[in-house]
Amino acid sequence: MRIVKVNLGKRSYPIIIGRGIFNQLGLYLKNLDIGTDAFIISNAFLKNKYGAKLLNVLSRNGFNCHFNLVADSEKAKSIQTASRVIKALAKFDQKKKVFIIAFGGGVVGDLAGFVASVYKRGISYVQIPTTLLAQVDSAIGGKTAVDLDLGKNLVGAFYQPRLVFTEVNFLKSLDIIQVRSGMAEVIKYAVIKDQKLFSLLENNYSCLMRRNLVILEVIINACSRVKAEIVAQDEKETTGLRSILNFGHTLGHAIEAAGGYKSYNHGQAVSLGMVVAVDLSQRLGLIDAKLGLRIRNLIKLYGLPLKLKGVAVDKVIRAHYHDKKFSGQENKFVLISGIGKPRIVRNIKLDLIKEAVRLLI
Ligand SMILES: NC(=O)c1ccc[n+]([C@@H]2O[C@H](COP(=O)([O-])OP(=O)(O)OC[C@H]3O[C@@H](n4cnc5c(N)ncnc54)[C@H](O)[C@@H]3O)[C@@H](O)[C@H]2O)c1
Ligand SMILES: [Zn+2]
């Protein structure tokens, strides 16, 4: 078992990572003195698969539990679902002290964190991430959100959990497409911050894809450390440091949106975004062609796309600019000048961006 701490003064919390640690969840919660009544937000699939075990571990430690299930799709990250969940929470919250458990992937985690942040002006919540993406990324750092029709993650808050409890064994049942999607974020961490992780990914492809849980634990630990360190220094993305986590995401988000959130999942879109960022880094003379190739090879190795299919380049560029206009931000890309050397570059010429995106086809 490994423990990574997110250092945020009074709001600090641990990330507990391990294989076969689920039985200890109740004890960790008890030690937090977090409350007695657990309102568990999850989906039907996860409840069927792991619900009985979760209930057992909680009730054995004296917790009173209630499951609230949401749709198994990004659609659950909506104001409508949040409103329904909040009403159910208010009904459950009778006498004792209630807290929320987010039991699922990034969708459940973002929604549950949002509900926790607004209910009674904020109550405690715990993340139990069950996808690789959630374990290495979304469960850590307190970004909570729901979507609007106008765009993703438009309503939300920075609101930190009290605990992130990462049982690596959950990944045994995860679909291979979801494993690959999570690997895109892992590659992102390696490229921006961790040379050692980068080599480990190059050398352990087959073990990782066979879901060797020992190596998965090692990489989840490495990624959690990187994210915890960045969040501790720039919790609310004010100094700009946290924005290096957006490597591959600037165009990745545009690709996801241009494909109507159907053509590419998050990890695949981020991979394409990383390919563009690598290409731009090369064009601006920040890295040489050899390193560019090494990164593209790693993305390909993990079954992630290098080429854009079925989504028009113009649509991607339009989605990118819509995003920027909407947020009032200047054009800002996270590029690299080497492995572990992120560089924020502002106002890249549109022609250059277009050329880099065209190279994807
Ligand atoms: N808050 C953040 O910092 C942050 C960061 C990155 C992404 N996100 C958000 O995360 C969301 C994507 O998260 P995701 O990729 O985890 O998707 P997801 O939550 O939709 O989960 C993917 C699928 O895997 C299933 N699943 C979950 N755990 C499983 C398990 N152990 N075994 C089998 N199946 C399992 C889910 O039911 C779902 O069908 C997006 O909404 C994105 O915006 C948030
Ligand atoms: Zn991401």
Side-chain angles (χ1 to χ4, degrees):
M1 181 200 280
R2 299 148 201 267
I3 302 180
V4 176
K5 197 161 172 211
V6 184
N7 286 312
L8 287 167
K10 278 187 192 153
R11 283 169 292 107
S12 297
Y13 55 95
I15 305 166
I16 313 286
I17 303 160
R19 287 164 287 125
I21 58 171
F22 203 38
N23 278 333
Q24 298 170 48
L25 173 69
L27 282 179
Y28 275 98
L29 290 177
K30 257 185 168 169
N31 288 340
L32 278 181
D33 196 20
I34 194 171
T36 45
D37 299 57
F39 186 81
I40 306 161
I41 302 178
S42 191
N43 68 37
F45 171 81
L46 288 163
K47 185 182 177 219
N48 284 339
K49 184 114 191 110
Y50 300 110
K53 217 172 157 208
L54 179 59
L55 283 183
N56 182 284
V57 116
L58 292 173
S59 52
R60 232 176 34 221
N61 285 280
F63 291 98
N64 171 27
C65 305
H66 179 83
F67 263 102
N68 191 280
L69 303 183
V70 300
D72 187 358
S73 94
E74 180 73 24
K75 288 199 179 83
K77 271 177 64 175
S78 68
I79 299 264
Q80 291 77 10
T81 303
S83 159
R84 187 180 59 66
V85 173
I86 288 166
K87 282 177 194 152
L89 174 59
K91 263 193 204 151
F92 175 67
D93 179 18
Q94 297 289 316
K95 293 181 202 78
K96 295 179 185 162
K97 195 172 156 200
V98 72
F99 67 98
I100 290 177
I101 293 181
F103 187 67
V107 164
V108 162
D110 281 11
L111 169 76
F114 173 68
V115 168
S117 76
V118 291
Y119 181 67
K120 288 186 168 171
R121 301 190 184 89
I123 62 170
S124 292
Y125 79 110
V126 168
Q127 290 277 10
I128 307 183
T130 60
T131 63
L132 179 59
L133 183 136
Q135 297 192 343
V136 297
D137 194 356
S138 64
I140 307 165
K143 271 194 183 177
T144 76
V146 294
D147 306 333
L148 296 181
D149 290 341
L150 276 167
K152 266 186 72 156
N153 299 329
L154 289 179
V155 183
F158 286 97
Y159 191 67
Q160 302 295 341
R162 298 278 308 280
L163 168 75
V164 179
F165 194 84
T166 302
E167 168 58 84
V168 181
N169 283 348
F170 287 139
L171 302 184
K172 279 186 201 163
S173 57
L174 194 63
D175 188 276
I176 190 70
I177 292 173
Q178 298 299 338
V179 176
R180 291 187 198 287
S181 180
M183 284 312 299
E185 302 285 359
V186 176
I187 293 172
K188 170 193 87 176
Y189 285 115
V191 173
I192 58 167
K193 214 65 188 148
D194 196 334
Q195 176 98 49
K196 225 172 103 194
L197 178 61
F198 194 92
S199 308
L200 196 137
L201 294 176
E202 285 183 322
N203 298 329
N204 288 280
Y205 160 75
S206 49
C207 285
L208 276 164
M209 282 297 107
R210 267 189 276 114
R211 265 171 258 194
N212 178 315
L213 297 166
V214 178
I215 304 212
L216 275 169
E217 184 180 332
V218 171
I219 66 160
I220 291 164
N221 181 53
C223 296
S224 301
R225 272 181 201 287
V226 174
K227 182 136 189 199
E229 193 191 309
I230 292 172
V231 168
Q233 289 176 62
D234 184 20
E235 183 186 8
K236 297 191 175 165
E237 220 164 304
T238 42
T239 70
L241 179 68
R242 189 165 176 165
S243 61
I244 65 170
L245 292 170
N246 290 334
F247 178 68
H249 283 61
T250 314
L251 271 169
H253 285 149
I255 290 168
E256 257 183 305
Y261 297 95
K262 288 194 186 87
S263 308
Y264 291 103
N265 66 27
H266 185 68
Q268 292 168 330
V270 167
S271 297
L272 291 165
M274 289 194 284
V275 173
V276 173
V278 166
D279 185 66
L280 287 171
S281 305
Q282 243 175 275
R283 280 164 196 268
L284 294 175
L286 297 170
I287 59 167
D288 59 18
K290 205 170 139 208
L291 180 56
L293 184 64
R294 204 174 148 206
I295 298 170
R296 279 194 293 275
N297 280 343
L298 189 66
I299 292 171
K300 194 173 159 196
L301 191 63
Y302 283 90
L304 291 159
L306 297 177
K307 294 283 171 198
L308 183 70
K309 285 187 192 129
V311 181
V313 170
D314 284 351
K315 225 173 158 188
V316 173
I317 301 287
R318 270 203 305 276
H320 172 66
Y321 275 89
H322 171 78
D323 204 22
K324 294 303 127 204
K325 235 186 285 153
F326 204 77
S327 60
Q329 282 166 8
E330 55 185 339
N331 141 0
K332 182 172 117 181
F333 278 80
V334 185
L335 304 185
I336 46 159
S337 56
I339 303 285
K341 294 183 184 153
R343 286 268 291 269
I344 308 275
V345 180
R346 292 190 157 78
N347 287 327
I348 297 184
K349 289 208 175 78
L350 176 61
D351 285 349
L352 207 62
I353 301 172
K354 276 189 181 162
E355 252 177 75
V357 177
R358 278 204 192 99
L359 270 191
L360 290 176
I361 50 175

